[in-house]
Amino acid sequence: MTRNTFGNLFTLTTFGESHGEAVGGVIDGMPAGIDIDIDFIQQELNRRRPGQSSITTSRQEADKVELLSGVFEGKSTGCPIGFIVRNTNQHSQDYENLRCLFRPSHADFTYEQKYGVRDHRGGGRSSARITISRCVGGALAKLVLRQWGISVQAYTSQVGQIVLERDYHLYDLEQTECNAVRCPDAEKAKEMEALITQMKKEGDTIGGVITCVIKGCPAGLGEPEFGKLHAALGSAMLSINAVKGFEYGEGFDGVAVRGSEQNDVFQNIDGKITTKTNHSGGIQGGISNGQDIYFRVAFKPVATILTDQETVDKEGNPTTFKAKGRHDPCVLPRAVPIVEAMAAMTILDYCLLKNSANW
């Protein structure tokens, strides 16, 4: 298995399986001298961990991170930062009936075809539990970005047919963590939570959309041809489990208006060139223009449903099965910190690329 490393200069290499001893990774390219706030890193993991509310999986994991290298007296040394998070609450027996089956919309069949072998326990390497490593990498990236005045904030903007207004300026994003759904609109959050609870009772699942806003990003990040910033962000988001779509700026809605309505007109305010609007989502020609970068990420309903389904076994024989175990009825609440993590690592990586080009 290859391609387990993300990034160019700031890189994350991950390892581990859902029901193995641990998951973890190695961060390379971390700038030296950064204050390493271990409590902040753990807090980011807590936002992703299972069992945090009634609308998430009931698997109970402390998800306590252990930093193994690259930190001395509370600061990054510039050396690789190795870390692990141990698995402590696996129920591998819940997956024994899946050893010889291919679950609908899972990676079972494709892994079997590619490798000839697969870990059927919780999906193995294809499990969303592997995103723990991304959250650690994202937390470290955030520690650097906040020293540079760059913030990354994501929130749940849609669950099923319950949708927030697209304009993020209409909401106080500081309210995102005030409810289990991670939605900055309290009333919509109640509706979303009720829908997710209903899906859980029915043994079914539901999808939705996460919106992410990056503020304070300098102009000039990204390459104009095959290293476009929005392409890098899109690639990062589409690498997250269950993601089916990505759009930035006005996205697909922008195709329904005229160019005269869509164009972001430049203006000079006290000697600073800026734009009157930001339909472009902070990126033009593949390069950041200094405005807020905002994008939306679509997540499909979780593929594991707790009702009878038809499938085939390894020999192609038709059969039926019912999944067991502990699963999320909606991935959105726990995916918010993962979206932030991938965005933070991408922006930091491109900041370092820009700096290296100026040396």
Side-chain angles (χ1 to χ4, degrees), residues 221-232 286 350:
L221 302 187
E223 303 301 326
E225 185 60 15
F226 297 114
K228 291 179 170 64
L229 182 58
H230 61 267
Y350 270 68

Side-chain angles (χ1 to χ4, degrees), residues 151 168-169 212-217 249 278 280-283 289-295:
S151 66
Y168 62 89
H169 295 97
C212 186
V213 183
I214 305 170
K215 293 179 176 290
C217 189
N278 188 21
S280 301
I283 304 172
N289 65 5
Q291 302 299 308
D292 291 350
I293 296 173
Y294 63 95
F295 57 85

Side-chain angles (χ1 to χ4, degrees), residues 221-286:
L221 302 187
E223 303 301 326
E225 185 60 15
F226 297 114
K228 291 179 170 64
L229 182 58
H230 61 267
L233 286 167
S235 177
M237 297 307 138
L238 289 165
S239 74
I240 301 172
N241 307 56
V243 169
K244 304 298 285 185
F246 169 84
E247 64 174 2
Y248 75 103
E250 292 296 314
F252 287 99
D253 279 5
V255 306
V257 300
R258 300 184 181 189
S260 56
E261 301 171 285
Q262 180 82 353
N263 285 347
D264 294 318
V265 176
F266 288 100
Q267 60 184 349
N268 187 329
I269 298 181
D270 298 327
K272 181 181 179 180
I273 296 177
T274 183
T275 57
K276 292 183 178 180
T277 55
N278 188 21
H279 301 298
S280 301
I283 304 172
Q284 294 171 325

Side-chain angles (χ1 to χ4, degrees), residues 158-176:
Q158 179 175 348
V159 173
Q161 298 298 319
I162 305 168
V163 186
L164 269 62
E165 297 291 335
R166 290 176 64 95
D167 186 355
Y168 62 89
H169 295 97
L170 299 176
Y171 302 99
D172 178 4
L173 301 190
E174 295 300 317
Q175 300 301 309
T176 298

Side-chain angles (χ1 to χ4, degrees), residues 130-152:
I130 308 307
T131 58
I132 283 175
S133 299
R134 300 175 183 226
C135 285
V136 175
L140 289 166
K142 283 183 176 182
L143 290 175
V144 181
L145 293 179
R146 73 183 184 185
Q147 290 194 19
W148 297 349
I150 301 172
S151 66
V152 180

Side-chain angles (χ1 to χ4, degrees), residues 178-205:
C178 292
N179 54 74
V181 188
R182 295 199 162 91
C183 171
D185 184 313
E187 292 305 313
K188 290 286 187 179
K190 291 178 182 178
E191 297 178 31
M192 292 175 178
E193 185 168 352
L195 176 58
I196 296 171
T197 300
Q198 177 186 344
M199 292 298 103
K200 185 175 182 179
K201 289 180 179 178
E202 296 177 2
D204 215 331
T205 61

